[in-house]
Amino acid sequence: MLWTDPNDPTLIPYRRSKTLAERAAWDFMSGYDGPTELTTVLPGAVFGPVLTAANLGSVGIIARMVSGKMPGVPRIGLEVVDVRDLVDVHIRAMTSPAAAGQRFLATGEFVWMEDIARTLRDGLGEHGRTVSTRRLPDFAVRLAARFLDRSLREITPALGRRNRHSTEKARRVLGWEPRPAREAVLDCARSLIAHGAV
């Protein structure tokens, strides 16, 4: 499995920090002579049901879409993994002797945000009517990132990029099988509605 280049100028600080932290863990383990073993699991965009609305993290994007706070969707794609499948792969990695010293990708199905918006609009009934399925032009997102909302600067390098990673190793070694992105997205939205987050 290849490593993300932490010196890539298009890499957002969050991803850079994750890469450096994992490298530090592996560096530590290379000189460690104790009984502990290391296995890392690298997830995609984590959706699925929430336990609380106190800290939404990555599912905040679903909350904004369902609440109608996004006038459109940027041309960004995500490898969606359900939080329940992420728990499953962690348990499998902890209990399988074959996982020791390994890195596993736990990314799921690749979907464009426009498709996520359509899934929400079509699958949530009355709650889906506020979801915008209008694609925002790349130039508009870049312009907004420059002059209106600096937080958008982190996403502009991903516009139009179709990242796809293989989870074959997790499937082969751990017997892991993630659920479809549609299920993760809809169950996420339904739980946000149930918790009053939208």
Side-chain angles (χ1 to χ4, degrees), residues 159-172:
L159 290 169
R161 187 179 291 175
R162 186 182 177 91
N163 293 328
R164 188 62 193 115
H165 301 93
S166 173
T167 58
E168 187 277 331
K169 183 177 179 182
R171 293 169 192 260
R172 176 177 39 82

Side-chain angles (χ1 to χ4, degrees), residues 4-197:
T4 298
D5 178 5
N7 298 313
D8 179 347
T10 66
L11 194 64
I12 63 172
Y14 175 79
R15 290 191 63 203
R16 180 176 288 114
S17 71
K18 291 288 194 179
T19 300
L20 294 175
E22 186 193 358
R23 281 195 172 176
W26 285 113
D27 287 346
F28 172 80
M29 289 303 292
S30 69
Y32 176 74
D33 193 27
T36 303
E37 296 171 328
L38 178 65
T39 300
T40 56
V41 175
L42 312 169
V46 183
F47 296 149
V50 299
L51 296 176
T52 175
N55 183 7
L56 297 182
S58 62
V59 303
I61 188 79
I62 302 294
R64 286 192 298 278
M65 292 171 94
V66 174
S67 64
K69 292 180 180 173
M70 286 182 65
V73 288
R75 196 170 57 102
I76 291 178
L78 305 169
E79 291 174 295
V80 174
V81 63
D82 191 289
V83 66
R84 295 165 291 191
D85 296 328
L86 192 53
V87 169
D88 178 50
V89 75
H90 274 88
I91 291 170
R92 289 171 185 264
M94 286 190 299
T95 57
S96 170
Q102 300 292 321
R103 302 173 73 220
F104 294 98
L105 286 177
T107 59
E109 179 183 353
F110 178 92
V111 289
W112 293 104
M113 284 187 64
E114 186 177 357
D115 297 323
I116 291 173
R118 280 197 194 97
T119 295
L120 293 168
R121 189 169 185 97
D122 297 343
L124 291 180
E126 187 67 20
H127 291 287
R129 63 184 168 80
T130 57
V131 178
S132 173
T133 58
R134 182 172 57 113
R135 183 192 302 170
L136 298 173
D138 293 353
F139 79 87
V141 176
R142 287 190 178 96
L143 197 63
R146 186 173 176 127
F147 297 108
L148 301 174
D149 185 351
R150 290 179 176 255
S151 69
L152 292 174
R153 289 183 180 185
E154 291 190 355
I155 68 166
T156 57
L159 290 169
R161 187 179 291 175
R162 186 182 177 91
N163 293 328
R164 188 62 193 115
H165 301 93
S166 173
T167 58
E168 187 277 331
K169 183 177 179 182
R171 293 169 192 260
R172 176 177 39 82
V173 176
L174 303 175
W176 183 67
E177 191 65 42
R179 70 195 73 213
R182 177 180 173 80
E183 184 178 340
V185 166
L186 287 174
D187 286 353
C188 178
R190 290 176 183 130
S191 73
L192 289 167
I193 293 164
H195 283 286

